[in-house]
Amino acid sequence: MGRKRKIYILLTDTGTVLTRMIKFYTKKPYNHASIAFDAELMEVYSFGRKKPKNSFIGGFVKENIDSPLFLQADCAIYSLTISIDEYKKMHQYIQEIASKKDHYHYNFIGLFGVLFKKPIKRKSAFFCSQFVASVLKESNISQFEQKDLSLIKPSDIIDLADFQFVFEGKLEDYIDRNTMRIPCPFYYSV
């Protein structure tokens, strides 16, 4: 058995208008999904707001969980132990998207596909859970025979692999303010 690493899935409810609308439909407590490469949540990626005060300007983002939007959010955090090769594949896939981030957009239209259970695929566009699911698929963590990536909701993600529950509550409570948070060894600036 080779060396292993952990990744983390961060599910949040930030209370924004968009998340409240999604929550009304899904009836689930968390409606935003992100993937993190460290327990300290220094390296967190998703598709979401590019500008904190405008939910309609979205795309690929390296999320700042120290922002007021996230610190006040309710969250659930799950971990998954994966091989170093899977970990590197994830990073490579995300870095490819990051290097072309201006060409990627938030898949608002795809949200209607989820609503009507009809896949709407757009080139270079993801919504948050579609992005996280694509990262898992590209690194061969999950095969997705049952559901199209464009129909994956945040609540579906933890069922895609053997994720382990880590924490539930206010994100601010998860962050230990008295501990210096340091980036993981594979830290990339986006």
Side-chain angles (χ1 to χ4, degrees), residues 117-137:
K117 297 178 176 58
K118 299 285 183 195
I120 298 176
K121 299 172 188 175
R122 294 181 55 217
K123 186 177 179 179
S124 302
F126 293 98
F127 50 84
C128 63
S129 51
Q130 181 183 23
F131 166 72
V132 172
S134 75
V135 172
L136 296 173
K137 180 179 181 181

Side-chain angles (χ1 to χ4, degrees), residues 29-46:
Y30 307 108
N31 291 290
H32 181 66
S34 310
I35 188 164
F37 288 92
D38 57 293
E40 296 81 17
L41 305 178
M42 295 290 295
E43 191 177 5
V44 182
Y45 301 99
S46 190

Side-chain angles (χ1 to χ4, degrees), residues 18 31-35 44-50 55 57-63 70 93-94 97-98 100-108 111 123-132 134-135:
L18 184 59
N31 291 290
H32 181 66
S34 310
I35 188 164
V44 182
Y45 301 99
S46 190
F47 267 66
R49 296 168 180 243
K50 286 187 170 185
S55 60
I57 299 175
F60 176 78
V61 291
K62 180 176 183 212
E63 293 181 321
F70 279 105
Y93 179 68
I94 288 173
I97 292 173
K100 300 173 188 164
K101 66 183 175 184
D102 293 335
H103 298 348
Y104 281 87
H105 306 285
Y106 192 87
N107 189 6
F108 285 106
L111 295 177
K123 186 177 179 179
S124 302
F126 293 98
F127 50 84
C128 63
S129 51
Q130 181 183 23
F131 166 72
V132 172
S134 75
V135 172

